[in-house]
Coordinates of all heavy atoms in Angstrom, one line a residue:
V26 N 0.4 -10.4 44.5 CA 0.6 -9.5 45.6 C -0.2 -10.0 46.8 O -1.4 -10.1 46.7 CB 0.1 -8.1 45.2 CG1 0.3 -7.1 46.3 CG2 0.7 -7.6 43.8
K27 N 0.5 -10.3 47.9 CA -0.2 -10.8 49.0 C -0.8 -9.7 49.9 O 0.0 -8.7 50.3 CB 0.8 -11.7 49.8 CG 0.2 -12.4 51.0 CD 1.2 -13.3 51.7 CE 1.8 -12.5 52.8 NZ 2.8 -13.3 53.6
V28 N -2.0 -9.8 50.3 CA -2.6 -8.8 51.2 C -3.2 -9.7 52.4 O -4.0 -10.6 52.2 CB -3.7 -8.0 50.6 CG1 -4.3 -6.9 51.5 CG2 -3.1 -7.4 49.2
T29 N -3.0 -9.2 53.6 CA -3.6 -9.8 54.8 C -4.6 -8.9 55.3 O -4.4 -7.7 55.6 CB -2.5 -10.1 55.9 OG1 -1.5 -11.0 55.3 CG2 -3.1 -10.9 57.1
Y30 N -5.8 -9.4 55.5 CA -6.9 -8.7 56.1 C -7.1 -9.2 57.5 O -7.3 -10.4 57.7 CB -8.2 -8.9 55.3 CG -8.1 -8.4 53.9 CD1 -7.5 -9.1 52.9 CD2 -8.8 -7.2 53.5 CE1 -7.5 -8.7 51.6 CE2 -8.7 -6.8 52.2 CZ -8.1 -7.5 51.3 OH -8.0 -7.1 49.9
V31 N -7.1 -8.3 58.5 CA -7.3 -8.7 59.9 C -8.6 -8.2 60.3 O -8.9 -6.9 60.4 CB -6.1 -8.1 60.8 CG1 -6.3 -8.6 62.2 CG2 -4.8 -8.4 60.2
A32 N -9.5 -9.1 60.6 CA -10.9 -8.8 61.0 C -10.9 -8.2 62.3 O -9.9 -8.3 63.0 CB -11.8 -10.0 60.9
H33 N -12.0 -7.5 62.7 CA -12.1 -6.9 64.0 C -11.8 -8.0 65.2 O -11.2 -7.6 66.2 CB -13.4 -6.3 64.2 CG -13.5 -5.4 65.4 ND1 -12.8 -4.2 65.5 CD2 -14.1 -5.5 66.6 CE1 -13.1 -3.6 66.7 NE2 -13.8 -4.4 67.4
D34 N -12.2 -9.1 65.0 CA -12.0 -10.1 66.0 C -10.6 -10.8 66.0 O -10.3 -11.7 66.7 CB -13.0 -11.3 65.9 CG -12.9 -12.1 64.6 OD1 -12.0 -11.9 63.9 OD2 -13.8 -13.0 64.5
G35 N -9.7 -10.2 65.1 CA -8.4 -10.7 65.0 C -8.2 -11.8 64.0 O -7.0 -12.2 63.8
T36 N -9.1 -12.3 63.4 CA -9.0 -13.4 62.4 C -8.2 -12.8 61.2 O -8.5 -11.7 60.7 CB -10.4 -13.8 61.8 OG1 -11.2 -14.1 62.9 CG2 -10.2 -15.1 60.9
R37 N -7.1 -13.5 60.8 CA -6.4 -13.0 59.6 C -6.6 -13.8 58.4 O -6.6 -15.0 58.5 CB -4.9 -13.1 60.0 CG -4.4 -12.3 61.2 CD -3.0 -12.6 61.6 NE -2.0 -12.0 60.7 CZ -1.6 -10.7 61.0 NH1 -2.0 -10.1 62.0 NH2 -0.6 -10.2 60.2
T38 N -6.8 -13.1 57.3 CA -7.1 -13.8 56.0 C -6.0 -13.3 55.0 O -6.0 -12.2 54.8 CB -8.5 -13.6 55.5 OG1 -9.4 -13.9 56.5 CG2 -8.8 -14.5 54.3
E39 N -5.4 -14.3 54.4 CA -4.3 -13.9 53.4 C -4.9 -14.1 52.0 O -5.4 -15.2 51.7 CB -3.1 -14.8 53.5 CG -1.9 -14.1 54.0 CD -0.7 -15.2 54.1 OE1 -0.6 -16.0 53.3 OE2 -0.1 -15.1 55.2
L40 N -4.9 -13.1 51.2 CA -5.3 -13.2 49.8 C -4.2 -12.8 48.8 O -3.3 -12.1 49.3 CB -6.5 -12.2 49.6 CG -7.8 -12.5 50.4 CD1 -8.9 -11.5 50.0 CD2 -8.3 -13.9 50.2
H41 N -4.4 -13.3 47.6 CA -3.4 -12.9 46.6 C -4.1 -12.2 45.5 O -5.0 -12.7 44.9 CB -2.7 -14.2 46.1 CG -1.8 -14.7 47.1 ND1 -0.5 -14.4 47.2 CD2 -2.0 -15.6 48.2 CE1 0.1 -15.0 48.3 NE2 -0.8 -15.7 48.9
G42 N -3.7 -10.9 45.2 CA -4.4 -10.1 44.2 C -3.4 -9.9 43.1 O -2.2 -10.2 43.2
D43 N -3.9 -9.2 42.1 CA -3.0 -8.8 41.0 C -2.8 -7.3 41.1 O -3.7 -6.6 41.6 CB -3.7 -9.1 39.6 CG -3.9 -10.6 39.4 OD1 -2.9 -11.3 39.8 OD2 -4.9 -11.1 39.0
P44 N -1.6 -6.8 40.5 CA -1.5 -5.4 40.5 C -2.6 -4.8 39.8 O -3.1 -5.3 38.7 CB -0.2 -5.2 39.7 CG 0.6 -6.5 39.9 CD -0.5 -7.6 39.9
G45 N -3.2 -3.6 40.2 CA -4.3 -3.0 39.6 C -5.6 -3.3 40.3 O -6.6 -2.5 40.3
D46 N -5.6 -4.4 41.1 CA -6.8 -4.7 42.0 C -6.7 -3.6 43.1 O -5.6 -3.1 43.4 CB -6.7 -6.1 42.7 CG -6.9 -7.2 41.8 OD1 -7.4 -7.0 40.7 OD2 -6.6 -8.4 42.2
S47 N -7.8 -3.3 43.6 CA -7.8 -2.5 44.8 C -8.0 -3.3 46.0 O -8.4 -4.5 45.9 CB -8.9 -1.3 44.8 OG -10.2 -1.9 45.0
V48 N -7.6 -2.8 47.2 CA -7.7 -3.6 48.4 C -9.2 -3.9 48.7 O -9.5 -5.0 49.2 CB -7.1 -2.8 49.6 CG1 -7.4 -3.4 50.9 CG2 -5.6 -2.7 49.4
M49 N -10.0 -3.1 48.2 CA -11.5 -3.4 48.3 C -11.9 -4.4 47.3 O -12.6 -5.4 47.7 CB -12.3 -2.0 48.0 CG -13.8 -2.1 48.1 SD -14.6 -2.8 46.6 CE -14.6 -1.4 45.6
S50 N -11.6 -4.3 46.0 CA -12.1 -5.2 45.0 C -11.6 -6.7 45.3 O -12.4 -7.7 45.1 CB -11.8 -4.8 43.6 OG -10.4 -4.8 43.4
L51 N -10.5 -6.8 45.8 CA -9.9 -8.1 46.1 C -10.7 -8.7 47.2 O -11.1 -9.9 47.2 CB -8.4 -8.0 46.5 CG -7.7 -9.3 47.0 CD1 -7.7 -10.3 45.8 CD2 -6.3 -9.0 47.4
A52 N -10.9 -7.9 48.3 CA -11.7 -8.4 49.4 C -13.1 -8.8 49.0 O -13.6 -9.9 49.5 CB -11.8 -7.3 50.5
I53 N -13.7 -8.0 48.2 CA -15.1 -8.4 47.7 C -15.1 -9.7 46.9 O -15.9 -10.6 47.1 CB -15.8 -7.3 46.8 CG1 -15.8 -5.9 47.6 CG2 -17.1 -7.6 46.3 CD1 -16.7 -5.9 48.8
A54 N -14.2 -9.8 46.0 CA -14.1 -10.9 45.1 C -13.9 -12.2 45.9 O -14.3 -13.3 45.5 CB -13.0 -10.8 44.1
Q55 N -13.2 -12.1 47.0 CA -12.9 -13.3 47.9 C -13.8 -13.4 49.1 O -13.5 -14.2 49.9 CB -11.4 -13.2 48.3 CG -10.4 -13.1 47.1 CD -10.3 -14.4 46.4 OE1 -10.4 -15.4 46.9 NE2 -10.1 -14.2 45.1
G56 N -14.8 -12.6 49.1 CA -15.8 -12.8 50.2 C -15.3 -12.4 51.6 O -15.7 -13.0 52.6
I57 N -14.5 -11.4 51.7 CA -14.1 -10.9 53.0 C -15.3 -10.2 53.6 O -15.8 -9.2 53.0 CB -12.9 -10.0 53.0 CG1 -11.6 -10.7 52.5 CG2 -12.6 -9.2 54.3 CD1 -10.9 -11.5 53.6
D58 N -15.8 -10.6 54.8 CA -16.9 -10.0 55.4 C -16.8 -8.6 55.8 O -17.7 -7.8 55.8 CB -17.3 -10.8 56.7 CG -18.1 -12.0 56.4 OD1 -18.6 -12.1 55.2 OD2 -18.1 -12.9 57.2
G59 N -15.6 -8.2 56.3 CA -15.5 -6.8 56.9 C -15.4 -5.6 56.0 O -15.3 -4.5 56.4
I60 N -15.6 -5.9 54.6 CA -15.6 -4.8 53.7 C -16.8 -4.9 52.8 O -17.1 -6.0 52.4 CB -14.3 -4.9 52.8 CG1 -13.1 -4.6 53.6 CG2 -14.4 -3.9 51.6 CD1 -11.9 -4.0 52.9
V61 N -17.5 -3.8 52.7 CA -18.8 -3.8 52.0 C -18.6 -3.3 50.6 O -19.0 -3.9 49.5 CB -19.9 -3.1 52.7 CG1 -21.2 -3.1 51.9 CG2 -20.1 -3.8 54.1
G62 N -18.0 -2.1 50.5 CA -17.8 -1.5 49.1 C -19.0 -1.2 48.3 O -19.1 -1.5 47.1
E63 N -20.0 -0.6 48.9 CA -21.4 -0.4 48.4 C -21.3 0.4 47.1 O -22.1 0.0 46.2 CB -22.1 0.5 49.4 CG -23.5 0.2 49.5 CD -24.2 0.6 50.8 OE1 -24.0 1.8 51.1 OE2 -24.7 -0.2 51.5
C64 N -20.5 1.3 46.9 CA -20.4 2.2 45.7 C -19.6 1.6 44.6 O -19.5 2.2 43.5 CB -20.0 3.6 46.0 SG -18.3 3.8 46.3
G65 N -19.0 0.5 44.9 CA -18.2 -0.1 43.8 C -16.8 0.5 43.5 O -16.2 0.3 42.5
G66 N -16.4 1.3 44.4 CA -15.1 1.9 44.4 C -15.0 3.3 43.9 O -13.9 3.8 43.5
S67 N -16.2 4.0 43.8 CA -16.1 5.4 43.2 C -16.1 6.5 44.3 O -16.5 7.6 44.1 CB -17.3 5.6 42.3 OG -18.5 5.0 42.8
M68 N -15.7 6.0 45.6 CA -15.5 7.1 46.6 C -16.8 7.7 47.0 O -16.9 8.9 47.3 CB -14.4 8.1 46.3 CG -13.5 8.3 47.5 SD -11.9 9.0 47.1 CE -12.2 10.3 46.0
M69 N -17.9 7.0 46.9 CA -19.3 7.6 47.2 C -19.9 7.0 48.4 O -21.0 7.3 48.8 CB -20.2 7.4 46.0 CG -19.8 8.0 44.7 SD -19.9 9.8 44.8 CE -21.7 9.9 44.6
C70 N -19.2 6.1 49.1 CA -19.7 5.5 50.3 C -18.5 5.5 51.3 O -17.4 6.0 51.0 CB -20.2 4.1 50.1 SG -19.0 2.8 49.7
A71 N -18.7 4.9 52.5 CA -17.4 4.8 53.3 C -17.5 3.3 53.8 O -17.0 3.1 54.9 CB -17.4 5.8 54.4
T72 N -18.1 2.4 53.0 CA -18.2 1.0 53.5 C -17.0 0.2 53.2 O -17.1 -1.1 53.2 CB -19.5 0.4 53.0 OG1 -19.4 0.4 51.6 CG2 -20.7 1.3 53.5
C73 N -16.0 0.8 52.7 CA -14.8 0.0 52.4 C -13.6 0.5 53.3 O -12.4 0.4 53.1 CB -14.3 0.2 51.0 SG -13.9 1.8 50.5
H74 N -14.0 1.2 54.4 CA -13.0 1.7 55.4 C -12.1 0.6 55.9 O -12.5 -0.4 56.3 CB -13.9 2.4 56.6 CG -13.1 3.0 57.7 ND1 -13.6 3.2 58.9 CD2 -11.8 3.5 57.7 CE1 -12.7 3.8 59.7 NE2 -11.6 3.9 59.0
C75 N -10.8 0.9 56.0 CA -9.9 0.0 56.6 C -8.7 0.8 57.3 O -8.7 2.1 57.0 CB -9.3 -1.0 55.6 SG -8.1 -0.2 54.5
Y76 N -8.0 0.1 58.1 CA -6.9 0.8 58.8 C -5.6 0.1 58.2 O -5.5 -1.1 58.4 CB -6.9 0.6 60.3 CG -8.2 1.0 60.9 CD1 -9.3 0.2 61.3 CD2 -8.4 2.4 61.2 CE1 -10.4 0.6 61.8 CE2 -9.6 2.9 61.7 CZ -10.6 1.9 62.0 OH -11.8 2.4 62.6
V77 N -4.7 0.9 57.6 CA -3.6 0.4 57.1 C -2.5 0.2 58.2 O -2.3 1.1 59.0 CB -2.9 1.3 56.0 CG1 -1.5 1.0 55.6 CG2 -3.9 1.4 54.9
E78 N -1.9 -1.0 58.3 CA -0.9 -1.2 59.4 C 0.2 -0.2 59.2 O 0.7 0.1 58.1 CB -0.4 -2.7 59.3 CG 0.3 -3.1 60.5 CD 0.2 -4.5 60.8 OE1 -0.8 -5.0 61.4 OE2 1.2 -5.2 60.5
E79 N 0.7 0.3 60.3 CA 1.7 1.4 60.4 C 2.8 1.3 59.4 O 3.2 2.1 58.7 CB 2.2 1.5 61.7 CG 2.7 2.9 62.1 CD 2.3 3.3 63.5 OE1 1.8 2.5 64.3 OE2 2.5 4.5 63.8
D80 N 3.4 0.0 59.3 CA 4.6 -0.3 58.5 C 4.3 0.0 57.0 O 5.2 0.2 56.2 CB 5.1 -1.6 58.6 CG 5.5 -2.0 60.1 OD1 5.6 -1.0 60.9 OD2 5.8 -3.2 60.3
W81 N 3.0 0.0 56.7 CA 2.6 0.1 55.3 C 2.1 1.5 54.9 O 1.7 1.7 53.8 CB 1.6 -1.0 55.0 CG 2.3 -2.3 54.9 CD1 2.3 -3.2 56.0 CD2 3.0 -2.9 53.8 NE1 3.1 -4.3 55.5 CE2 3.5 -4.1 54.3 CE3 3.3 -2.5 52.5 CZ2 4.2 -4.9 53.4 CZ3 4.0 -3.3 51.7 CH2 4.5 -4.5 52.2
A82 N 2.1 2.4 55.8 CA 1.6 3.7 55.6 C 2.3 4.4 54.4 O 1.6 5.0 53.6 CB 1.7 4.6 56.8
E83 N 3.6 4.2 54.4 CA 4.4 4.9 53.3 C 4.1 4.3 52.0 O 3.9 5.0 50.9 CB 5.9 4.8 53.6 CG 6.7 5.9 53.0 CD 8.1 5.9 53.4 OE1 8.4 5.8 54.6 OE2 8.9 5.9 52.5
A84 N 4.0 3.0 51.9 CA 3.8 2.3 50.6 C 2.5 2.6 50.1 O 2.3 2.6 48.9 CB 4.1 0.8 50.7
T85 N 1.5 2.7 51.0 CA 0.1 3.0 50.4 C -0.1 4.5 50.1 O -1.1 4.9 49.5 CB -1.0 2.4 51.4 OG1 -0.6 2.9 52.7 CG2 -0.9 0.9 51.4
G86 N 0.7 5.3 50.6 CA 0.7 6.7 50.3 C -0.4 7.5 51.0 O -1.1 6.9 51.9
P87 N -0.5 8.8 50.7 CA -1.5 9.6 51.4 C -2.9 9.4 50.8 O -3.0 8.8 49.8 CB -1.0 11.0 51.0 CG -0.3 10.9 49.7 CD 0.3 9.5 49.7
R88 N -3.8 9.9 51.5 CA -5.3 9.8 51.0 C -5.4 10.5 49.7 O -4.8 11.5 49.4 CB -6.2 10.3 52.1 CG -6.2 9.6 53.3 CD -7.1 10.1 54.4 NE -6.9 9.4 55.6 CZ -7.2 9.8 56.8 NH1 -7.7 11.0 57.0 NH2 -7.0 9.1 57.9
M89 N -6.4 10.0 48.9 CA -6.6 10.7 47.7 C -7.5 11.9 47.9 O -8.2 12.1 49.0 CB -7.5 9.7 46.7 CG -6.8 8.5 46.4 SD -5.4 8.8 45.4 CE -4.6 7.1 45.4
D90 N -7.7 12.8 46.9 CA -8.5 13.9 47.0 C -10.0 13.4 47.2 O -10.5 12.6 46.5 CB -8.5 14.6 45.6 CG -7.5 15.8 45.6 OD1 -6.8 16.0 46.6 OD2 -7.4 16.3 44.5
G91 N -10.6 14.0 48.3 CA -12.0 13.7 48.5 C -12.2 12.5 49.4 O -13.2 12.3 50.0
E92 N -11.1 11.8 49.7 CA -11.2 10.6 50.5 C -11.5 11.0 51.9 O -12.3 10.4 52.7 CB -9.9 9.8 50.4 CG -10.0 8.4 50.9 CD -8.7 7.6 50.7 OE1 -7.9 7.9 49.8 OE2 -8.5 6.7 51.5
E93 N -10.8 12.1 52.4 CA -11.0 12.6 53.7 C -12.4 12.9 54.1 O -13.0 12.5 55.0 CB -10.2 13.9 53.8 CG -9.9 14.4 55.1 CD -8.5 13.9 55.6 OE1 -7.7 13.6 54.8 OE2 -8.3 14.0 56.8
D94 N -13.1 13.6 53.1 CA -14.4 14.0 53.3 C -15.4 12.7 53.5 O -16.3 12.7 54.3 CB -15.0 14.8 52.1 CG -14.3 16.2 52.1 OD1 -13.8 16.6 53.1 OD2 -14.4 16.8 51.0
M95 N -15.1 11.8 52.6 CA -15.9 10.6 52.6 C -15.8 9.8 53.9 O -16.7 9.2 54.4 CB -15.6 9.7 51.4 CG -16.7 8.8 50.9 SD -18.1 9.7 50.4 CE -19.3 9.1 51.7
L96 N -14.5 9.8 54.4 CA -14.3 9.0 55.6 C -15.1 9.6 56.8 O -15.3 8.8 57.8 CB -12.7 9.1 56.0 CG -11.9 8.0 55.3 CD1 -10.4 8.4 55.5 CD2 -12.2 6.7 55.8
E97 N -15.5 10.8 56.7 CA -16.3 11.4 57.8 C -17.6 10.7 58.0 O -18.2 10.7 59.0 CB -16.6 12.9 57.5 CG -15.4 13.8 57.8 CD -15.6 15.2 57.5 OE1 -16.8 15.6 57.3 OE2 -14.6 15.9 57.3
S98 N -18.1 10.0 57.0 CA -19.3 9.2 57.1 C -19.0 7.7 57.4 O -19.9 6.9 57.3 CB -20.3 9.4 55.9 OG -19.5 9.4 54.8
A99 N -17.8 7.3 57.7 CA -17.5 6.0 58.0 C -18.2 5.6 59.4 O -18.4 6.5 60.3 CB -15.9 5.8 58.2
A100 N -18.6 4.4 59.5 CA -19.4 3.9 60.7 C -18.5 3.9 61.9 O -19.0 4.1 63.0 CB -20.0 2.6 60.4
C101 N -17.2 3.6 61.7 CA -16.3 3.4 62.9 C -15.4 4.5 63.0 O -15.2 5.3 62.1 CB -15.6 2.1 62.9 SG -16.7 0.7 63.3
E102 N -14.7 4.6 64.1 CA -13.7 5.7 64.4 C -12.7 5.8 63.2 O -12.2 4.8 62.7 CB -13.0 5.3 65.7 CG -12.1 6.4 66.2 CD -11.1 5.9 67.3 OE1 -11.1 4.7 67.6 OE2 -10.3 6.7 67.6
V103 N -12.5 7.0 62.9 CA -11.4 7.3 61.8 C -10.2 7.7 62.5 O -10.2 8.6 63.4 CB -12.0 8.4 60.9 CG1 -10.9 8.8 59.9 CG2 -13.2 8.0 60.1
T104 N -9.1 7.0 62.2 CA -7.8 7.4 62.8 C -6.9 7.8 61.7 O -7.2 7.8 60.5 CB -7.1 6.1 63.5 OG1 -6.7 5.2 62.5 CG2 -8.2 5.4 64.4
E105 N -5.6 8.1 62.0 CA -4.7 8.6 61.0 C -4.3 7.4 60.0 O -3.8 7.7 59.0 CB -3.4 9.2 61.6 CG -2.7 8.3 62.6 CD -1.5 8.9 63.3 OE1 -1.4 10.2 63.2 OE2 -0.6 8.1 63.8
R106 N -4.7 6.2 60.5 CA -4.3 5.1 59.5 C -5.5 4.7 58.7 O -5.5 3.8 57.9 CB -3.9 3.9 60.4 CG -2.6 4.1 61.1 CD -2.1 2.9 61.9 NE -3.1 2.5 62.9 CZ -3.5 1.2 63.0 NH1 -3.1 0.3 62.2 NH2 -4.4 0.9 64.0
S107 N -6.7 5.4 58.8 CA -7.9 5.1 58.0 C -7.7 5.4 56.6 O -7.2 6.5 56.2 CB -9.0 5.9 58.6 OG -9.4 5.5 59.9
R108 N -8.2 4.5 55.7 CA -8.2 4.7 54.3 C -9.5 4.1 53.8 O -10.1 3.2 54.4 CB -7.0 4.0 53.6 CG -5.7 4.6 53.9 CD -5.5 6.0 53.3 NE -5.8 6.1 51.9 CZ -5.0 5.9 50.9 NH1 -3.8 5.5 51.1 NH2 -5.4 6.0 49.6
L109 N -9.9 4.6 52.6 CA -11.0 3.9 51.8 C -10.2 2.8 51.0 O -9.3 3.2 50.2 CB -11.7 4.9 50.9 CG -12.5 5.9 51.7 CD1 -13.1 6.9 50.7 CD2 -13.7 5.3 52.5
S110 N -10.5 1.6 51.2 CA -9.7 0.5 50.6 C -9.8 0.5 49.1 O -9.0 0.0 48.4 CB -10.0 -0.8 51.3 OG -11.4 -1.2 51.1
C111 N -10.9 1.1 48.6 CA -11.0 1.1 47.1 C -10.0 2.1 46.5 O -9.8 2.0 45.3 CB -12.5 1.5 46.7 SG -12.9 3.1 47.2
Q112 N -9.4 2.9 47.3 CA -8.5 3.9 46.8 C -7.1 3.4 46.9 O -6.1 4.2 46.6 CB -8.7 5.3 47.5 CG -10.1 5.8 47.3 CD -10.5 6.0 45.8 OE1 -9.6 6.6 45.0 NE2 -11.6 5.4 45.4
I113 N -6.9 2.2 47.4 CA -5.6 1.6 47.5 C -5.4 0.6 46.4 O -6.0 -0.4 46.4 CB -5.3 1.0 48.9 CG1 -5.5 1.9 50.0 CG2 -3.8 0.5 48.9 CD1 -5.4 1.3 51.4
K114 N -4.8 1.0 45.3 CA -4.6 0.1 44.2 C -3.3 -0.6 44.3 O -2.3 0.0 44.6 CB -4.6 0.9 42.8 CG -5.7 1.8 42.6 CD -6.9 1.0 42.0 CE -8.1 1.8 41.5 NZ -9.3 1.8 42.4
L115 N -3.4 -2.0 44.2 CA -2.2 -2.8 44.5 C -1.2 -2.7 43.4 O -1.5 -2.6 42.2 CB -2.6 -4.2 44.6 CG -3.6 -4.5 45.8 CD1 -4.0 -6.0 45.7 CD2 -2.9 -4.3 47.1
T116 N 0.1 -2.6 43.8 CA 1.2 -2.7 42.9 C 2.2 -3.8 43.6 O 1.9 -4.2 44.7 CB 2.0 -1.4 42.8 OG1 2.6 -1.1 44.1 CG2 1.2 -0.3 42.5
E117 N 3.1 -4.2 42.8 CA 4.1 -5.1 43.3 C 4.7 -4.7 44.7 O 5.1 -5.5 45.6 CB 5.3 -5.4 42.4 CG 4.8 -6.0 41.1 CD 4.3 -7.4 41.2 OE1 4.4 -8.1 42.2 OE2 3.7 -7.9 40.2
A118 N 4.8 -3.4 44.9 CA 5.4 -2.8 46.1 C 4.5 -3.1 47.3 O 4.9 -2.8 48.5 CB 5.5 -1.3 45.9
H119 N 3.3 -3.6 47.1 CA 2.4 -3.8 48.3 C 2.4 -5.2 48.6 O 1.6 -5.7 49.5 CB 1.0 -3.4 47.8 CG 0.8 -1.9 47.6 ND1 0.1 -1.4 46.6 CD2 1.2 -0.9 48.4 CE1 0.1 -0.1 46.7 NE2 0.8 0.3 47.7
D120 N 3.3 -6.0 48.2 CA 3.3 -7.5 48.5 C 3.6 -7.6 50.0 O 4.6 -7.1 50.5 CB 4.4 -8.1 47.7 CG 4.4 -9.7 47.9 OD1 3.2 -10.2 47.9 OD2 5.4 -10.3 47.9
G121 N 2.7 -8.2 50.7 CA 2.8 -8.3 52.2 C 2.0 -7.3 53.0 O 2.0 -7.4 54.2
L122 N 1.3 -6.5 52.3 CA 0.5 -5.4 52.9 C -0.5 -6.0 54.0 O -1.1 -7.1 53.8 CB -0.4 -4.7 51.8 CG -1.5 -3.7 52.2 CD1 -0.8 -2.5 52.9 CD2 -2.3 -3.3 51.1
V123 N -0.7 -5.3 55.1 CA -1.6 -5.7 56.1 C -2.6 -4.6 56.4 O -2.2 -3.5 56.6 CB -0.9 -6.1 57.5 CG1 -1.8 -6.5 58.5 CG2 0.2 -7.2 57.2
V124 N -3.9 -4.9 56.3 CA -4.9 -3.9 56.7 C -5.8 -4.5 57.7 O -6.1 -5.7 57.7 CB -5.8 -3.5 55.4 CG1 -4.9 -2.7 54.4 CG2 -6.5 -4.6 54.8
H125 N -6.3 -3.6 58.6 CA -7.1 -4.1 59.7 C -8.6 -3.5 59.3 O -8.7 -2.4 58.8 CB -6.7 -3.5 61.0 CG -5.4 -4.0 61.4 ND1 -5.2 -5.0 62.4 CD2 -4.1 -3.8 60.9 CE1 -3.9 -5.3 62.6 NE2 -3.3 -4.6 61.7
L126 N -9.6 -4.3 59.7 CA -10.9 -4.0 59.4 C -11.7 -3.4 60.6 O -11.5 -3.9 61.6 CB -11.6 -5.1 58.7 CG -10.9 -5.7 57.6 CD1 -11.6 -7.0 57.0 CD2 -10.7 -4.7 56.4
P127 N -12.5 -2.4 60.4 CA -13.3 -1.9 61.5 C -14.4 -2.8 61.9 O -14.7 -3.8 61.2 CB -13.9 -0.6 60.9 CG -13.9 -0.8 59.4 CD -12.8 -1.7 59.1
E128 N -15.0 -2.6 63.1 CA -16.0 -3.5 63.5 C -17.2 -3.5 62.7 O -17.8 -4.6 62.5 CB -16.4 -3.0 65.0 CG -17.3 -4.0 65.7 CD -17.5 -3.6 67.1 OE1 -17.1 -2.5 67.5 OE2 -18.1 -4.4 67.8
E129 N -17.6 -2.4 62.1 CA -18.7 -2.4 61.2 C -18.5 -1.4 60.1 O -17.7 -0.5 60.3 CB -20.0 -2.2 61.9 CG -20.0 -1.0 62.8 CD -21.3 -0.9 63.7 OE1 -22.1 -1.8 63.7 OE2 -21.4 0.1 64.4
Q130 N -19.3 -1.5 59.0 CA -19.1 -0.5 57.9 C -20.3 0.3 57.6 O -20.3 1.2 56.9 CB -18.8 -1.4 56.6 CG -17.5 -2.1 56.6 CD -16.3 -1.1 56.4 OE1 -16.4 0.1 56.6 NE2 -15.1 -1.7 56.2
V131 N -21.5 -0.1 58.3 CA -22.7 0.7 58.1 C -23.4 1.1 59.3 O -23.2 0.4 60.3 CB -23.8 -0.1 57.2 CG1 -23.3 0.0 55.7 CG2 -24.0 -1.5 57.6
Ligands
FES206 FE1 -17.3 3.1 48.3 FE2 -14.7 2.7 48.6 S1 -16.2 1.3 47.9 S2 -15.8 4.5 48.8

């Protein structure tokens, strides 16, 4: 499953994950700077904030229960495209997904 991470400065990094990985865990495993993932994916921080590219909003679905509240403590502006990347679990349907990273996470 191919996922492209677009850093705040526009740098694009393409990674390949497996179904079941989260957008956060894949980024951490491959050393993407723009995602911190302090809580390890249990929706207890907001350091895995990302913006899902518009075309992918449907495939990634709505926010999970509780995600909204946690996003309130995100370091950067929260928009309608904001998600906690640990709550986006990859499936084959996400092949080609593009997420944008905020300027900072803490
Ligand atoms: Fe902490 Fe996603 S890693 S909320």
